[in-house]
Amino acid sequence: MSSQPVSFGKALYSAFLYGTFQLINIAVFVQHAETFSEPKEAKRSMGIGFVINSLMMVLVAAGLLTICSEPDLAQQSVPTLFMVQKGVGASFMLPLVSVLIILGAVSTAVNMVAAMVRRVSVRITTEEERKKEAAAGRPGMKTIVIAFLCCLIDFGIAQFGLLTLVQKAYSFLAYLEIPVILIPYIIHMAVTGFDRKHL
């Protein structure tokens, strides 16, 4: 940190870019979401979400501060594991965190693929086909093919490596989402008065 100081403005801008990158997860959230019955439910949900996310970010920042002076930190592909190795209870925490990282990666991949499949299948399947799938309780052939192709694409992207994806692809997606998602959302909120009136 002392050899390569970063200004508060640059750090804040990086946080903004990371926030815009997270907008891509909206498709994942929507597939699990249910419509609020009244506006106060949305306010309560946002309040609880703000508190939980704030606590998680404080814990992450506190954890990173414990290893920020370590010279080997910059070379770590998974800083979380490095943080656990240097912390208390590394002997039992390291296997536990490793398992949690794997579960987190798998659940994220499943959710992302499911969101992609849902968005694509709506375009290429008829409403009747979707009703048949829902009644049968299993996906149809088109949905299976879409899921397989999405998995192949994701696997191909993963071959570029974790660091390359984080350093290059994430920032590219973050910039892309500003005009594609962020600005349209802001305009929509302004025009509809936070969805109090319909367009």
Side-chain angles (χ1 to χ4, degrees):
M1 290 173 69
S2 58
S3 62
Q4 293 181 329
V6 177
S7 66
F8 175 76
K10 188 174 181 181
L12 189 63
Y13 183 66
S14 295
F16 167 75
L17 282 182
Y18 183 73
T20 58
F21 167 74
Q22 293 299 325
L23 291 173
I24 203 168
N25 292 321
I26 287 174
V28 179
F29 303 150
V30 167
Q31 70 173 348
H32 298 297
E34 294 180 7
T35 306
F36 291 122
S37 59
E38 50 187 345
K40 68 178 183 180
E41 287 187 358
K43 292 178 182 177
R44 185 166 56 250
S45 174
M46 290 171 63
I48 294 170
F50 177 80
V51 171
I52 292 173
N53 278 286
S54 298
L55 288 173
M56 290 192 332
M57 292 306 295
V58 168
L59 289 173
V60 168
L64 289 174
L65 285 174
T66 62
I67 56 168
C68 65
S69 59
E70 295 285 343
D72 297 331
L73 177 59
Q75 281 74 46
Q76 302 299 317
S77 58
V78 187
T80 306
L81 291 179
F82 184 66
M83 182 172 63
V84 173
Q85 287 172 334
K86 295 291 182 179
V88 178
S91 59
F92 72 90
M93 285 292 288
L94 192 59
L96 177 62
V97 170
S98 299
V99 170
L100 291 175
I101 288 174
I102 292 169
L103 290 175
V106 170
S107 64
T108 300
V110 168
N111 273 315
M112 290 291 185
V113 170
M116 291 163 56
V117 169
R118 185 169 183 175
R119 291 179 71 86
V120 174
S121 65
V122 167
R123 305 291 185 203
I124 66 171
T125 59
T126 64
E127 188 174 347
E128 185 180 340
E129 288 175 323
R130 291 193 293 275
K131 285 180 179 178
K132 283 182 180 178
E133 287 185 12
R138 61 177 185 271
M141 185 54 65
K142 284 183 181 178
T143 304
I144 293 171
V145 170
I146 295 166
F148 179 71
L149 291 175
C150 287
C151 288
L152 282 181
I153 292 168
D154 291 342
F155 179 76
I157 293 170
Q159 301 314 299
F160 290 104
L162 178 62
L163 283 178
T164 305
L165 287 173
V166 171
Q167 293 170 353
K168 306 294 182 185
Y170 279 21
S171 59
F172 173 75
L173 287 173
Y175 284 114
L176 181 64
E177 287 164 36
I178 293 172
V180 174
I181 299 177
L182 181 62
I183 293 175
Y185 266 50
I186 292 173
I187 293 172
H188 174 84
M189 287 190 298
V191 171
T192 63
F194 292 93
D195 284 330
R196 289 190 180 91
K197 55 185 179 181
H198 297 288
L199 289 173

